[in-house]
């Protein structure tokens, strides 16, 4: 017997059948408020469909049910409920049932609290629901939601995370096999009633009941399939009895009551309901069902009336437990119309007899072990499952007939205990027509043969096992070549050290990694954290939480080598294999990376890398093994290159750090680009996805992993890159933020999204089955694993987009000709792009130096500074000045001379004793003497300033450049400068200047004179300040500067004239002071 993938039943399982006539993945009676796009919407580029579920979240008998007269059983798996059917060949076929929060049921249902009824689909759609609805019969027939599938509501409100994630916690078949009820736990839990018909959709329920809060603990159909009992959790505290229409599956509330005890199991006993739990056994009586109003043709407008008119209080009566009043009852099963057997966690097997409406409760026998579940087969035998891994079977008629009245104390069961599992606990047992099904603590489902009644063991051998991980599944990897040692396509590993190899959902083999545990009872238990297998599956490398690295032989399933590689948890392992070299790299929380190499049949440590300053959470080899990239919590990616050194003793290899890429947030996961060998895709904790070129360290692209319906962005904890064969590849990832699986394109648009896991999703892998043609023709599947112990296999249907993509059509570098690489038109075009530095060489050529650069530029606005600011002093340039202006400024020489001494200090306020000094100082505006005003832009003064700046820049370039200059260019420059000097001389001579004044002005620029004047003026000013402070200042005092002026010569004046253009403006105040002294 083998587990057949869901695609084997094309009518039930294939989501592709009828995709062209699919009406709406999430029908809603409300109009969408989103504006219609003028561009016709295209079909989704990728669709996700649930193909197979491995494992189960069943932890009690409430989450498992079967048809005793049939060959189907149902159980919970994350957010979905699974119906598994056994065909004649012994194959198990799965079908999945789940409904999104926005999915409206076919039948209406009214709330008992007087709220609005659940909206239903229109009548015309109801008539064609069996043949046209969603057309994807079976394994999650609904493709991944489109942009607004999760936001269908009158207000277009985006569904929150708590509304999207609901775990299926209990299931129940109707005895006639027509209906399948699923109870949820989460925000606004529902009781969903599905049709088991092969033609009915598995994503649209017939009825949805949302009256429970917190969660639904148990659901059970009555023996006649007319009533459905739903019990909420202890916090909810309500027991509802719903009347189910046998034709349409519509539900109306019949009776209800409070039930606040902790209930473990419920079961129908004829027309009565029994609830058992902690110190609790109670029988609830349903009123005369013949008096119930028949509502087979109820309309939506009549639901509220019918609900209020038929709703009654559910009466109940507790059983007298006598000596078992402190017991905890775990299971109950009906054996007759008015009899039921109840079991406790101490092994007590009791009988509830309501033949005379007295609710007699008596103990029959002792099972000898704690009982976890009970089941009755069609042959009238009671199967008892215990927490010791054993199974006992009793004949019901024998234990009831010979023990009437039961003796005290009751005898122990003499039936032998049959072990069907190596596990120490069987949590669930159920019976089919020919099989006994058990679910153990490892969540493995085993089908055993139901032997004839004359057999001593009463339970046959295990025919088939649906294996699963009994612990949190921490990872999945699909890097296996075909063929390999296990003939598998991917493998998964759990925290308890179990590694299972799978192929198309079928079990191929398992390996148990030995894990060392600490003797300290308070120590943290050791766990298997990461695993990598070789491409051929001959060996695998495993790292645990204590930092131990183990090499295991997959053929013998034994550990070959083990090393204490790290002092902390091993977070990632990477393997590179080629013909000459085999490398294994492992990263750890101790901030180091260890690299091992295989030499013959042994493994040696090649190198230890410690460049990171934080925990290293990822390690990955490039395709050719020449690069090693590690990511760390220090927000960095370190790229290393493999170097080889040939020596006499052999070849020595080492990885040398070539580049470090600093990120804004901690990297979480990384994957290589499938099209570019040197491109790495990285997801970070700030909910971004980046694409880096590891050769240059540049970020090629990035996007935020957000929703299109306005929801919050998520952190993608694991990534895979998917090639489509056309267009850009897709990026798929899983998020533990909202337990979702997402598919994005490289531009950041959400292409597909779905939910299924109810706990943290730990990893994702891409599996591709080889097709008959190219690689793209094979079927692609995504494998997701979670800490709830489940493995989901998603079918990924890629469809070419029919909508015209403007961004891609405008790509001038894309080829528009046939893909023949020999054609010249398919070769890259010629390009010669000058850089900015190369263009600057043309812009700064010497020929352009003589052209004033002010022609194409805006006039530079001067910053208006304070008259008393000394930091930016205007530059004094020689210009003809009227003698009257100089005479007017000479009178204030004493106050102005002080500025020169105190130019590095902030100015003092004017003295009240000399108001004339402050007035004269305020009237001085040296800027009008140095530069042309703004309104004179374009005049000879502005042109002169521009020429001076150009000459200074030219001299700096000559001093810094190493380029050679031809003699012709040098002569040309000399001729131009000589002609310019002659023109300036003629212009100056044309003006009438006082020769004496010109000589005095030129002499002021002598460096020797300025140095002498500095000393004299400093002494004179200091003396004047002291005299002014005591009021003895004399205006007629003769300046000592006039007598100490050194003799001047004509040669000195000529030297000063030649250096006039290069003098700095910082000496303006000094020159102004000396000018006043000289003229005076």
């Amino acid at each position: 017997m083998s587990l057949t993938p869901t695609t084997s039943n094309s009518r039930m399982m294939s989501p592709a059948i009828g995709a062209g006539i699919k009406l709406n993945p999430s029908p809603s009676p409300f109009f969408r408020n989103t504006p219609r796009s003028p561009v016709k919407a295209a079909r989704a580029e990728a669709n996700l469909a649930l193909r197979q579920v491995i494992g189960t979240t069943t932890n009690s008998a409430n989450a498992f049910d079967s048809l005793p007269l049939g060959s189907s059983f149902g159980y919970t798996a994350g957010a979905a409920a699974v119906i598994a059917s056994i065909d004649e060949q012994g194959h198990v076929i799965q079908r999945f049932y789940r409904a999104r929060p926005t999915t409206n049921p076919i039948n209406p249902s009214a709330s008992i609290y007087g709220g609005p009824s659940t909206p239903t689909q229109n009548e015309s759609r109801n008539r064609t629901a069996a043949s046209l609805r969603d057309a994807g019969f079976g394994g999650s027939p609904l493709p991944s939601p489109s942009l607004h599938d999760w936001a269908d509501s009158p207000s277009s409100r985006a569904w929150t995370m708590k509304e999207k994630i609901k775990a299926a916690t209990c299931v129940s078949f109707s005895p006639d096999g027509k209906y399948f009820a699923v109870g949820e736990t989460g925000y606004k839990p529902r009781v969903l009633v599905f049709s088991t018909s092969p033609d009915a959709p598995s994503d649209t329920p017939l009825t949805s009941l949302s009256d429970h809060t917190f969660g639904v603990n148990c659901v059970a159909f009555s023996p006649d399939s007319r009533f459905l009992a739903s019990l909420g959790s202890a916090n909810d505290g309500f027991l509802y009895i719903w009347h189910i229409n046998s034709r349409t599956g519509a539900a109306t509330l019949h009776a209800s009551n409070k039930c606040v005890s902790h209930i473990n199991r419920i079961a129908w006993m004829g027309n009565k309901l029994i609830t058992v739990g902690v110190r609790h056994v109670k029988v609830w009586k349903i009123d005369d069902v013949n008096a119930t109003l028949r509502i087979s043709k109820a309309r939506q407008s009549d639901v509220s009336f019918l609900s209020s008119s038929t709703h009654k209080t559910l009466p109940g009566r507790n059983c007298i437990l006598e000596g078992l009043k402190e017991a905890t009852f775990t299971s109950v099963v009906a054996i007759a119309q008015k009899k039921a057997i109840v079991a406790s966690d101490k092994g007590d097997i009791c009988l509830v007899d309501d033949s005379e409406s007295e609710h007699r409760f008596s103990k029959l026998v002792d099972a000898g072990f704690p009982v976890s579940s009970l089941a009755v087969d069609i042959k009238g035998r009671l199967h008892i499952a215990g927490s010791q891994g054993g199974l006992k079977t009793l004949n019901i008629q024998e234990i009831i007939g010979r023990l009437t009245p039961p003796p005290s104390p009751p005898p122990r069961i003499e039936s032998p205990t049959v072990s069907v599992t190596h596990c120490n606990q069987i949590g669930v047992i159920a019976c089919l027509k020919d099989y006994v099904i058990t679910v153990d603590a490892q969540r493995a489902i085993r089908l055993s043969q139901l032997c004839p009644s004359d057999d001593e063991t009463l339970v046959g051998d295990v025919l088939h096992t649906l294996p699963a991980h009994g612990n949190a599944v921490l990872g999945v990897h699909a890097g296996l070549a075909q063929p390999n040692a296990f003939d598998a396509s991917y493998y998964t590993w759990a925290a308890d050290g179990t590694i299972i190899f799978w192929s198309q959902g079928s079990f191929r083999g398992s390996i148990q990694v030995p894990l060392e545990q600490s003797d300290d009872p308070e120590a943290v238990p050791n766990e298997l954290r990461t695993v990598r297998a070789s491409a051929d599956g001959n060996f695998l490398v495993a790292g645990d939480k204590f930092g131990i690295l183990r090499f295991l032989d997959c053929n013998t399933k034994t550990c070959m080598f083990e090393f204490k590689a790290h002092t902390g948890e091993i977070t990632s392992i990477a393997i590179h294999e080629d013909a000459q070299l085999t490398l294994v790299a492992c990263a750890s929380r101790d901030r180091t990376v260890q690299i091992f190499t295989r030499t013959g049949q042994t493994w040696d440590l090649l190198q230890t890398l410690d460049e990171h300053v934080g925990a290293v959470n990822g390690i990955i080899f490039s395709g050719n093994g020449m690069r090693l990239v590690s990511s760390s919590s220090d927000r960095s990616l370190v790229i290393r290159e493999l170097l080889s050194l040939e020596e006499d003793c052999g070849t020595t290899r080492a990885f040398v750090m070539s580049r470090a890429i600093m990120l804004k947030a901690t990297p979480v996961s990384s994957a290589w680009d499938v099209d570019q060998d040197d491109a790495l895709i990285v997801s970070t904790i700030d909910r971004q996805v980046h694409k880096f070129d590891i050769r240059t360290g540049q970020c090629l692209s990035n996007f935020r992993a957000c929703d299109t319906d306005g929801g919050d962005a998520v952190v993608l904890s694991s990534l895979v890159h998917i090639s489509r064969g056309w267009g850009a590849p897709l990026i798929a990832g899983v998020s533990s933020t909202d337990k979702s699986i997402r598919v994005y394109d490289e531009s950041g648009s959400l292409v597909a999204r779905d939910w299924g896991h109810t706990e943290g999703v730990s990893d994702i892998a891409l599996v591709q089955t080889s097709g008959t043609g190219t690689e793209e023709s094979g079927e692609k599947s995504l494998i997701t694993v979670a800490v709830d112990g489940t493995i989901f296999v998603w079918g990924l249907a890629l469809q070419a987009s029919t909508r015209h993509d403007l961004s891609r059509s405008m790509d001038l570098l894309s080829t528009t000709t046939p893909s023949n690489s020999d054609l010249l038109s398919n070769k890259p075009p010629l390009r010669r792009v000058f850089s900015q530095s190369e263009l600057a060489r043309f812009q700064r050529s010497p020929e352009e130096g003589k052209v004033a650069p002010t022609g194409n530029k805006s006039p530079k606005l001067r910053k208006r500074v304070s008259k008393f600011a000394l930091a930016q002093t205007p530059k004094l340039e020689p210009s003809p000045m009227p003698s009257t202006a100089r005479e007017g400024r000479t009178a204030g020489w004493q106050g102005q001379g002080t500025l020169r001494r105190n130019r590095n200090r902030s100015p003092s306020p004017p003295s009240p004793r000399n108001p004339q000094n402050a007035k004269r100082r305020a009237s001085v505006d040296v800027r009008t003497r140095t530069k042309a005003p703004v309104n004179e832009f374009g005049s000879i003064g502005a042109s002169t300033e521009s020429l001076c700046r150009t000459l200074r820049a030219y001299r700096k370039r000559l001093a810094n450049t190493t380029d050679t200059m031809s003699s012709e260019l040098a002569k040309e420059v000399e001729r131009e400068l000589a002609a310019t000097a002659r023109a300036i001389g003629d212009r100056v001579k044309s003006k009438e200047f006082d020769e004496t004044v010109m000589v005095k002005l030129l002499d002021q620029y002598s460096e020797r004179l300025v140095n002498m004047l500095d000393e004299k003026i400093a002494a004179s000013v200091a003396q004047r300040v002291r005299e002014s402070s005591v009021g003895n200042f004399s205006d007629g005092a003769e300046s000592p500067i006039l007598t100490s002026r050194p003799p001047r010569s004509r040669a000195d004046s000529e030297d000063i004239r030649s250096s006039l253009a290069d003098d700095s403006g910082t000496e303006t105040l000094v020159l102004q002071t000396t000018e006043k002294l000289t003229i005076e």
Side-chain angles (χ1 to χ4, degrees):
M1 184 180 298
S2 62
L3 180 62
T4 303
T6 58
T7 56
S8 62
N9 191 334
S10 60
R11 190 177 185 184
M12 294 176 57
M13 310 304 172
S14 176
I17 297 179
I21 57 176
K22 188 172 183 178
L23 296 178
N24 192 351
S26 59
S28 173
F30 309 107
F31 292 99
R32 299 177 186 266
N33 294 334
T34 55
R36 179 173 297 178
S37 173
V39 181
K40 183 178 180 180
R43 299 177 63 188
E45 297 183 9
N47 289 328
L48 288 173
L50 185 59
R51 300 292 192 193
Q52 187 178 357
V53 173
I54 301 175
T56 176
T57 54
T58 299
N59 52 12
S60 68
N62 295 324
F64 195 96
D65 198 15
S66 65
L67 289 173
L69 300 179
S71 59
S72 300
F73 57 94
Y75 56 91
T76 60
V82 183
I83 293 182
S85 301
I86 305 174
D87 58 12
E88 296 178 357
Q89 291 77 23
H91 297 165
V92 178
I93 303 174
Q94 293 180 336
R95 190 180 182 188
F96 314 102
Y97 292 84
R98 58 192 183 123
R100 292 188 173 90
T102 55
T103 302
N104 296 313
I106 297 177
N107 300 307
S109 60
S111 173
I112 65 172
Y113 302 104
S117 61
T118 302
T120 180
Q121 302 167 0
N122 55 62
E123 296 180 358
S124 62
R125 187 171 294 176
N126 287 339
R127 288 194 297 267
T128 59
S131 58
L132 295 180
R133 180 180 310 279
D134 295 347
F137 312 120
S140 183
L142 183 62
S144 64
S146 59
L147 299 183
H148 301 283
D149 276 350
W150 294 85
D152 288 348
S153 63
S155 60
S156 292
R157 176 181 61 87
W159 290 88
T160 59
M161 184 189 310
K162 60 183 180 181
E163 292 173 312
K164 295 174 182 176
I165 304 171
K166 294 182 175 66
T169 53
C170 53
V171 295
S172 177
F173 279 105
S174 62
D176 57 8
K178 293 177 57 177
Y179 304 121
F180 184 58
V182 180
E184 296 178 336
T185 294
Y187 182 75
K188 294 183 179 179
R190 301 169 296 179
V191 176
L192 305 174
V193 180
F194 293 92
S195 173
T196 59
S197 173
D199 295 335
S202 62
D203 68 310
T204 303
L206 300 176
T207 303
S208 177
L209 308 173
S210 304
D211 295 288
H212 287 285
T213 58
F214 299 102
V216 183
N217 189 24
C218 307
V219 290
F221 276 96
S222 62
D224 56 1
S225 302
R226 295 182 57 189
F227 292 97
L228 173 66
S230 63
L231 176 65
S233 60
N235 295 330
D236 177 81
F238 274 96
L239 173 64
Y240 296 124
I241 305 297
W242 307 91
H243 182 275
I244 304 299
N245 190 309
S246 60
R247 188 178 66 88
T248 63
T252 55
L253 185 63
H254 177 73
S256 65
N257 206 335
K258 292 280 290 183
C259 184
V260 295
S261 300
H262 183 79
I263 305 300
N264 293 324
R265 193 82 170 109
I266 66 174
W268 285 86
M269 184 177 61
N271 63 343
K272 296 180 181 179
L273 184 70
I274 300 179
T275 58
V276 297
V278 179
R279 299 188 296 273
H280 172 91
V281 176
K282 192 170 185 178
V283 179
W284 306 84
K285 183 179 179 182
I286 310 301
D287 290 341
D288 187 10
V289 295
N290 295 326
T292 304
L293 182 64
R294 297 184 179 274
I295 53 173
S296 60
K297 296 184 179 181
R299 295 183 180 180
Q300 182 175 353
S301 58
D302 301 329
V303 172
S304 300
F305 168 75
L306 294 175
S307 178
S308 60
S309 62
T310 59
H311 180 206
K312 300 178 181 179
T313 301
L314 181 65
R317 180 179 176 183
N318 290 310
C319 294
I320 300 176
L321 304 180
E322 297 180 351
L324 299 176
K325 60 183 179 179
E326 298 296 328
T328 297
F329 298 95
T330 58
S331 183
V332 58
V333 62
I335 59 174
Q337 286 290 329
K338 295 185 179 182
K339 293 182 181 180
I341 293 180
V342 180
S344 69
D345 60 350
K346 301 297 183 181
D348 303 309
I349 307 298
C350 306
L351 175 67
V352 177
D353 190 356
D354 192 41
S355 302
E356 301 177 359
S357 300
E358 296 180 357
H359 302 333
R360 290 185 300 174
F361 181 84
S362 58
K363 183 175 180 180
L364 298 178
V365 292
D366 188 357
F369 54 82
V371 179
S372 58
S373 181
L374 300 175
V376 176
D377 60 18
I378 59 176
K379 301 181 182 298
R381 294 176 296 186
L382 177 66
H383 300 274
I384 306 173
S387 60
Q388 306 299 326
L391 177 65
K392 289 187 177 182
T393 304
L394 298 176
N395 190 301
I396 298 176
Q397 297 299 329
E398 292 182 0
I399 62 174
I400 293 180
R402 71 183 182 183
L403 299 178
T404 304
S408 180
R412 296 180 63 88
I413 301 177
E414 299 178 357
S415 174
T417 301
V418 180
S419 177
V420 297
T421 176
H422 299 290
C423 181
N424 58 0
Q425 181 179 358
I426 297 178
V428 178
I429 186 171
C431 294
L432 298 179
K433 182 179 179 180
D434 300 319
Y435 303 97
V436 174
I437 306 174
T438 58
V439 182
D440 57 21
Q442 297 297 324
R443 298 178 182 177
I445 301 176
R446 290 178 170 84
L447 280 73
S448 303
Q449 185 178 4
L450 186 62
C451 294
S453 57
D454 56 355
D455 196 314
E456 295 181 358
T457 60
L458 301 180
V459 176
D461 298 332
V462 177
L463 300 179
H464 186 66
T465 300
L466 303 181
H469 287 286
N471 211 318
V473 186
L474 300 183
V476 57
H477 194 69
L480 294 175
Q482 296 295 335
N484 52 70
F486 289 94
D487 194 20
S489 55
Y490 62 95
Y491 54 92
T492 58
W493 61 91
D496 58 358
T498 304
I499 304 173
I500 301 180
F501 291 83
W502 310 89
S503 177
Q504 302 297 322
S506 301
F507 176 82
R508 295 299 183 185
S510 65
I511 296 178
Q512 183 67 35
V513 179
L515 299 177
E516 296 180 355
Q517 299 293 342
S518 176
D519 297 334
D520 187 0
E522 298 181 357
V524 178
N526 192 11
E527 295 179 353
L528 179 63
R529 302 304 298 176
T530 181
V531 173
R532 282 295 180 273
S534 61
D536 55 4
N538 289 327
F539 72 92
L540 60 84
V541 186
D544 61 12
K545 200 170 185 178
F546 290 171
I548 300 176
L549 190 70
R550 294 179 174 87
F551 295 82
L552 291 91
D553 188 346
C554 295
N555 298 317
T556 60
K557 299 182 180 181
T558 57
C559 181
M560 299 182 296
F561 303 96
E562 56 183 5
F563 306 96
K564 178 64 175 178
H566 299 278
T567 59
E569 172 187 333
I570 297 178
T571 57
S572 180
I573 295 175
I575 298 178
H576 170 70
E577 296 178 277
D578 56 24
Q580 295 79 20
L581 186 65
T582 301
L583 298 175
V584 172
C586 57
S588 172
R589 287 184 174 272
D590 62 358
R591 301 177 295 180
T592 61
V593 174
Q594 299 276 30
I595 302 177
F596 295 85
T597 180
R598 182 166 62 180
T599 305
Q601 299 297 325
T602 62
W603 291 88
D604 299 325
L605 179 64
L606 176 65
Q607 190 177 2
T608 300
L609 306 172
D610 57 353
E611 294 90 350
H612 290 287
V613 296
V616 186
N617 52 27
I619 193 77
I620 184 171
F621 281 104
S622 61
N624 56 6
M626 299 304 296
R627 290 188 178 94
L628 179 66
V629 182
S630 60
S631 58
S632 172
S633 60
D634 60 4
R635 300 182 296 179
S636 68
L637 299 174
V638 175
I639 297 98
R640 307 171 182 87
E641 293 187 359
L642 179 62
L643 301 180
S644 300
L645 178 62
E646 298 292 339
E647 296 179 345
D648 297 337
C649 58
T651 303
T652 303
R653 296 179 177 89
F655 280 92
V656 178
M657 177 178 172
S658 62
R659 185 178 301 276
I661 302 175
M662 302 306 299
L663 306 175
K664 294 183 179 180
T666 300
V668 179
S669 178
S670 60
W672 289 107
D673 192 293
V674 294
D675 294 338
Q676 305 177 29
D677 296 336
D678 296 319
L680 185 68
I681 301 173
V682 181
S683 66
T684 54
I685 203 171
D686 61 349
R687 308 183 181 191
Q688 298 276 348
V689 178
H690 307 267
K691 183 177 180 181
F692 291 98
D693 187 346
I694 62 173
R695 295 172 301 178
T696 62
Q698 294 181 353
C699 181
L700 302 178
S701 63
N702 72 301
F703 64 88
R704 186 172 177 83
C706 58
D707 296 340
T708 56
D709 55 4
D712 295 334
V714 297
V715 179
L716 297 182
S717 56
S718 183
L719 294 175
V720 292
H721 209 216
I722 305 170
S723 176
R724 291 190 288 181
W726 70 89
L730 299 177
I731 300 174
V734 293
S735 171
S736 293
T737 307
D738 62 348
K739 287 82 174 174
S740 65
I741 173 174
R742 297 164 177 258
V743 180
Y744 291 90
D745 59 15
E746 291 197 343
S747 63
S749 300
L750 183 63
V751 177
R753 175 184 52 177
D754 215 327
W755 280 264
H757 297 283
T758 55
E759 298 293 339
V761 189
S762 54
D763 204 357
I764 186 174
L766 174 66
V767 176
Q768 178 164 345
T769 57
S770 59
T772 57
T774 60
E775 183 180 358
E776 285 76 13
S777 62
E779 180 183 358
K780 292 181 173 63
S781 301
L782 292 175
I783 316 297
T784 58
V785 297
V787 296
D788 59 3
T790 58
I791 303 171
F792 281 19
V793 181
W794 306 84
L796 181 62
L798 302 178
Q799 301 171 357
S801 177
T802 58
R803 183 174 56 186
H804 182 64
D805 195 338
L806 183 61
S807 62
R808 294 178 185 174
S809 64
M810 295 183 64
D811 187 3
L812 300 180
L813 297 180
S814 61
T815 60
T816 58
T817 55
S819 58
N820 187 357
S821 59
D822 297 333
L823 295 178
L824 181 62
S825 58
N826 285 339
K827 296 184 180 298
L830 296 178
R831 292 289 187 270
R832 187 186 180 189
V833 181
F834 285 97
S835 63
Q836 295 294 334
S837 59
E838 291 174 337
L839 292 176
R841 297 177 58 184
F842 296 94
Q843 297 173 353
R844 299 175 182 175
S845 60
E847 289 78 3
E848 297 180 359
K850 58 187 178 182
V851 181
T854 59
N856 297 327
K857 296 183 179 180
S858 301
K860 182 178 179 180
L861 299 179
R862 298 180 178 86
K863 182 178 179 182
R864 186 174 182 83
V865 297
S866 173
K867 300 182 183 62
F868 304 102
L870 302 179
Q872 297 291 336
T873 305
K875 182 177 63 175
L876 178 63
E877 295 185 358
S879 60
M881 296 180 298
S883 59
T884 56
R886 292 194 302 269
E887 292 175 359
R889 290 190 296 269
T890 306
W893 71 270
Q894 296 172 348
Q896 296 289 339
T898 309
L899 295 176
R900 181 180 168 276
R901 181 171 178 260
N902 300 329
R903 61 174 179 263
N904 294 328
R905 296 165 47 188
S906 58
S908 302
S911 174
R913 297 185 180 183
N914 194 2
Q916 183 69 19
N917 186 18
K919 182 177 179 180
R920 291 293 184 182
R921 181 181 301 173
S923 63
V924 176
D925 189 3
V926 296
R927 289 177 295 175
T928 60
R929 303 172 50 204
T930 59
K931 293 184 180 181
V934 177
N935 57 4
E936 293 183 4
F937 177 75
S939 63
I940 188 64
S943 300
T944 304
E945 293 179 6
S946 178
L947 176 60
C948 294
R949 288 194 298 269
T950 303
L951 291 176
R952 284 193 292 270
Y954 182 69
R955 287 197 303 272
K956 292 181 181 179
R957 184 171 180 81
L958 287 178
N960 298 328
T961 186
T962 59
D963 298 340
T964 59
M965 179 185 296
S966 63
S967 59
E968 292 79 2
L969 292 177
K971 294 178 180 180
E972 182 67 21
V973 172
E974 292 178 359
R975 285 195 298 268
E976 294 296 334
L977 291 178
T980 304
R982 287 193 299 270
I984 294 176
D986 297 340
R987 182 62 178 262
V988 172
K989 290 180 180 180
S990 63
K991 301 295 182 178
E992 295 181 359
F993 285 96
D994 189 351
E995 186 68 17
T996 306
V997 175
M998 178 60 67
V999 172
K1000 291 181 180 180
L1001 290 175
L1002 294 175
D1003 290 343
Q1004 292 176 12
Y1005 289 89
S1006 174
E1007 186 67 24
R1008 181 166 51 86
L1009 176 61
V1010 171
N1011 293 335
M1012 295 177 61
L1013 290 177
D1014 285 343
E1015 300 176 359
K1016 298 297 183 180
I1017 292 175
S1020 177
V1021 171
Q1023 181 180 359
R1024 299 285 185 179
V1025 172
R1026 288 194 298 270
E1027 293 176 357
S1028 177
S1029 61
V1030 297
N1032 296 326
F1033 181 80
S1034 176
D1035 293 336
E1038 184 178 359
S1039 176
I1041 301 175
L1042 300 177
T1043 60
S1044 61
R1045 183 164 57 95
R1048 297 184 301 272
S1049 62
R1050 184 64 179 178
D1052 293 337
S1053 299
E1054 294 295 338
D1055 295 339
I1056 296 174
R1057 189 195 307 268
S1058 62
S1059 60
L1060 178 61
D1062 295 333
D1063 285 344
S1064 174
T1066 57
E1067 300 295 336
T1068 303
L1069 295 178
V1070 179
L1071 299 177
Q1072 182 178 349
T1073 304
T1074 55
E1075 177 190 359
K1076 295 174 183 177
L1077 292 174
T1078 305
I1079 295 175
E1080 190 178 38

